[in-house]
Amino acid sequence: MRPARIHQHDHRPQWQLAHPLSALRMTARRSAPPRSDAPSGGAGIRRHFASVVPVLIIAAVAVLALAGGTGMSWLPLLAVGPALAAATSGPWGVLRIGALAVGLGAAIGVHAGTPDRELAIVLSALSAVTLASSLAGALRRRREQVLAQVRSVAEAAQHAFLKPVPATVGHFQAAVRYSAAAAEARIGGDLYALVPTPFGIRLIVGDVRGKGLPAVGVAALVLGVFREAAYDEPDLLDVVHRIERSLARNLGPDDFVTAVIAGYPDADRMELVNCGHAAPLLVQDSRVLPVEPARPAPPLGLRALADEAPSLQEVALADGNQLLFYTDGVTEARDHEREFYPLSERLAVHLSEDPSRTLAALHEDLLTHVGGELHDDAALLLLRRPCVGPAGAGGGAAADDVAAADDVAAADGVGEAVIG
């Protein structure tokens, strides 16, 4: 067995990739899940406050006009109310704000003894601004509806190939956490898959260029080839070669994908093939160590431009060990001081025996680090080999779950149980 080379982790530039896939867009549209657009929490409070602001502005102008004794001078500022309402309310809401502004303007003008001609001009201007703002509000509402539909399509497209993760797969406890940088589309360019095969569990974690629906095409292509090859090829390197050949036929000369492909053929070792991707993190006895490739290889899709071919390395996994796969969107996330997110350090802090709990804590910590909004897609996939031992020693329940999962896999043969 060749031991893995362990080095200090360094940050690498992200390779990015874009490739359209119209058919997936159509499939997602047919299967888009229903969603609610009702605001909640802080968003609902902000929206309510924004709807009140135009009324407050009109009231302030009215007070200034009456208190200052120069009524006509302040009346044009009443147009600010309906103009601002167009950004927060629908067309009928704008009309109500406009009617309030016109009514107050007329009352103030009469009270101040404004000549009829001047008052008519001001009220006509207020009415015109109200109608224009109402039209703008209607157009904005229409764009919001279209955006909601696009978001629903994007979510369905993402779920079409990034599926929920079971808590136990084969010999491992597993968990995945994914965040897309394209918040309005809720879809990104990272990919992951985990499949039980006749040759053991195999997985892929990768990063494609770009965000949104164009990146989905390449991700779907890579995952489709991986899921098929993972069942057919006994050698993990042959799985990588299948993906490479498919990308060579379907991608442009400048397109590529960074990825780590892994397999677990035996009960004590994990095979890894790293194609230009961030090094996985191995957790042994509470120590977090990056598993750097023994020989760096180019990303998938760029082998024709480089002489280096992917190499296979083996990592010993004992009971209780964990292996974290991730994308550059995690380690390259910066805080307000432009400092990178220290994934190794934070993983050691949030480590637990439950992978889903560990990733949930890491995800919250990552959002806190960047201030609440990621600027790149980020994916985390954590595997943990449970401690097999007597019940009460931390391994009874986990061992039962592993045995049950193995029985299911044996009964299903090569039946697919994809979580990616």
Side-chain angles (χ1 to χ4, degrees):
M1 178 184 303
R2 184 171 68 251
R5 294 174 57 191
I6 310 297
H7 301 284
Q8 293 297 320
H9 179 67
D10 59 344
H11 299 286
R12 299 181 179 178
Q14 180 189 20
W15 283 284
Q16 297 178 330
L17 176 62
H19 185 69
L21 188 65
S22 300
L24 185 57
R25 188 193 304 250
M26 296 302 296
T27 301
R29 183 178 293 113
R30 290 193 296 267
S31 60
R35 57 181 291 119
S36 173
D37 296 321
S40 60
I45 295 175
R46 288 192 297 270
R47 177 170 294 186
H48 177 72
F49 177 76
S51 64
V52 174
V53 169
V55 178
L56 296 178
I57 291 176
I58 292 175
V61 172
V63 170
L64 288 174
L66 293 174
T70 57
M72 192 62 190
S73 301
W74 293 98
L75 290 188
L77 289 180
L78 291 173
V80 175
L84 184 60
T88 59
S89 305
W92 292 110
V94 175
L95 289 176
R96 285 192 292 268
I97 297 296
L100 175 63
V102 171
L104 280 177
I108 294 172
V110 171
H111 179 268
T114 304
D116 293 343
R117 178 180 176 83
E118 294 182 15
L119 181 59
I121 292 175
V122 172
L123 296 181
S124 298
L126 288 176
S127 300
V129 171
T130 298
L131 293 176
S133 300
S134 178
L135 177 60
L139 294 176
R140 180 188 56 81
R141 181 64 60 85
R142 173 58 181 167
R143 285 193 295 269
E144 288 180 349
Q145 293 174 352
V146 172
L147 176 59
Q149 293 174 358
V150 170
R151 291 172 63 178
S152 179
V153 170
E155 287 182 6
Q158 189 84 339
H159 295 158
F161 66 92
L162 296 182
K163 301 179 182 179
V165 177
T168 303
V169 180
H171 293 81
F172 294 96
Q173 298 169 278
V176 164
R177 199 80 181 191
Y178 178 85
S179 297
E184 295 302 333
R186 300 188 180 180
I187 193 168
D190 292 352
L191 60 94
Y192 56 84
L194 177 61
V195 296
T197 74
F199 316 107
I201 291 175
R202 287 176 170 176
L203 67 90
I204 182 173
V205 174
D207 193 356
V208 305
R209 183 185 180 187
K211 305 174 182 66
L213 288 176
V216 175
V218 174
L221 173 64
V222 172
L223 290 177
V225 177
F226 167 76
R227 287 167 176 160
E228 180 181 358
Y231 286 102
D232 296 339
E233 304 292 347
D235 192 325
L236 191 64
L237 281 174
D238 290 335
V239 176
V240 179
H241 297 331
R242 285 269 294 270
I243 299 175
E244 182 70 40
R245 290 195 298 269
S246 179
L247 291 178
R249 292 192 302 267
N250 293 281
L251 297 186
D254 298 328
D255 293 334
F256 51 82
V257 181
T258 69
V260 175
I261 297 92
Y264 191 71
D266 298 331
D268 62 348
R269 65 189 176 97
M270 176 73 78
E271 296 179 341
L272 298 175
V273 180
N274 193 322
C275 299
H277 199 72
L281 298 179
L282 176 64
V283 181
Q284 292 179 331
D285 300 325
S286 300
R287 295 181 305 157
V288 179
L289 304 170
V291 184
E292 298 286 358
R295 190 174 69 221
L300 297 169
L302 292 183
R303 191 181 304 176
L305 304 179
D307 296 332
E308 292 288 341
S311 60
L312 187 71
Q313 63 183 134
E314 297 177 350
V315 179
L317 286 181
D319 291 348
N321 287 175
Q322 303 189 47
L323 197 57
L324 176 66
F325 300 86
Y326 57 95
T327 59
D328 286 343
V330 178
T331 53
E332 293 183 355
R334 296 174 182 258
D335 60 11
H336 65 281
E337 296 180 353
R338 307 301 294 168
E339 294 292 333
F340 289 111
Y341 181 70
L343 179 59
S344 298
E345 298 175 12
R346 305 311 298 169
L347 175 60
V349 171
H350 297 294
L351 198 61
S352 71
E353 295 183 356
D354 183 356
S356 62
R357 183 185 306 171
T358 301
L359 291 193
L362 273 178
H363 184 259
E364 291 299 321
D365 190 54
L366 176 62
L367 294 181
T368 301
H369 178 80
V370 300
E373 181 178 353
L374 292 174
H375 298 287
D376 194 6
D377 308 319
L380 295 160
L381 189 153
L382 182 60
L383 296 181
R384 179 180 184 271
R385 181 174 175 182
C387 296
V388 179
D400 292 341
D401 291 341
V402 170
D406 288 341
D407 292 342
V408 172
D412 291 344
V414 297
E416 184 173 6
V418 179
I419 70 164

